[in-house]
């Protein structure tokens, strides 16, 4: 797997595939400077070689993984959106709407917070 399209091709349900493709397109449009990368079989966006956000899929949801720090910062908003979370990711059920304002704020936070980082992870 080398591209986001390769990743999307692994999603059997066409509605799920289209929903996640819309999310990727939105990230590309909103943050055009981010680089796309497939690592650990997950599509992720990076900035100057450091991790910003990744995505994965499951039967009932897709997961958004921005690392632990933004999950703590945005914990309340994630809960208010109706998403469940762990220490490393939050889940958006396929039946739920994507809170693009929340997603934008998390990505923007990571870009700013990791501006001086030279390593991939925090």
């Amino acid at each position: 797997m080398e591209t986001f399209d390769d990743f999307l091709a692994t999603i059997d349900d066409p509605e799920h595939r289209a929903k996640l493709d819309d999310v990727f397109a939105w990230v590309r449009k909103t943050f055009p400077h981010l680089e796309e990368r497939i690592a650990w079989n997950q599509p992720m966006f990076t900035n100057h070689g450091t991790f910003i956000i990744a995505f994965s899929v499951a039967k009932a949801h897709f997961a958004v993984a921005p690392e632990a720090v933004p999950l703590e910062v945005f914990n309340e908003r994630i809960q208010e959106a109706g998403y469940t979370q762990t220490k490393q990711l939050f889940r958006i059920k396929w039946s739920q709407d994507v809170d693009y304002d929340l997603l934008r704020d998390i990505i923007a936070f990571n870009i700013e917070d990791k501006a001086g980082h030279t390593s991939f992870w925090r």
Side-chain angles (χ1 to χ4, degrees), residues 5-115:
D5 286 340
D6 294 340
F7 176 82
L8 289 168
T10 68
I11 302 172
D12 292 332
D13 186 307
E15 290 180 16
H16 296 175
R17 186 170 49 249
K19 185 170 192 164
L20 199 52
D21 191 28
D22 288 346
V23 171
F24 294 160
W26 177 88
V27 174
R28 288 179 188 116
K29 181 179 178 184
T30 308
F31 299 96
H33 65 285
L34 293 181
E35 301 111 22
E36 296 180 17
R37 176 177 173 179
I38 298 288
W40 300 280
N41 292 322
Q42 293 183 342
M44 56 184 62
F45 291 90
T46 63
N47 189 35
H48 63 76
T50 190
F51 176 87
I52 299 299
I53 197 161
F55 299 87
S56 61
V57 296
K59 183 177 181 178
H61 65 268
F62 68 93
V64 181
E67 287 188 296
V69 171
L71 288 172
E72 292 172 17
V73 171
F74 292 94
N75 177 50
E76 191 173 308
R77 287 183 58 194
I78 291 167
Q79 289 181 16
E80 288 171 0
Y83 306 146
T84 60
Q85 72 182 74
T86 68
K87 288 184 178 185
Q88 295 294 330
L89 60 83
F90 65 95
R91 300 173 200 92
I92 301 175
K93 293 180 185 176
W94 294 114
S95 60
Q96 290 177 302
D97 291 333
V98 176
D99 184 337
Y100 284 103
D101 290 336
L102 173 61
L103 192 56
R104 180 195 63 238
D105 292 348
I106 288 172
I107 294 170
F109 172 86
N110 258 356
I111 291 168
E112 182 177 333
D113 191 57
K114 296 183 78 176

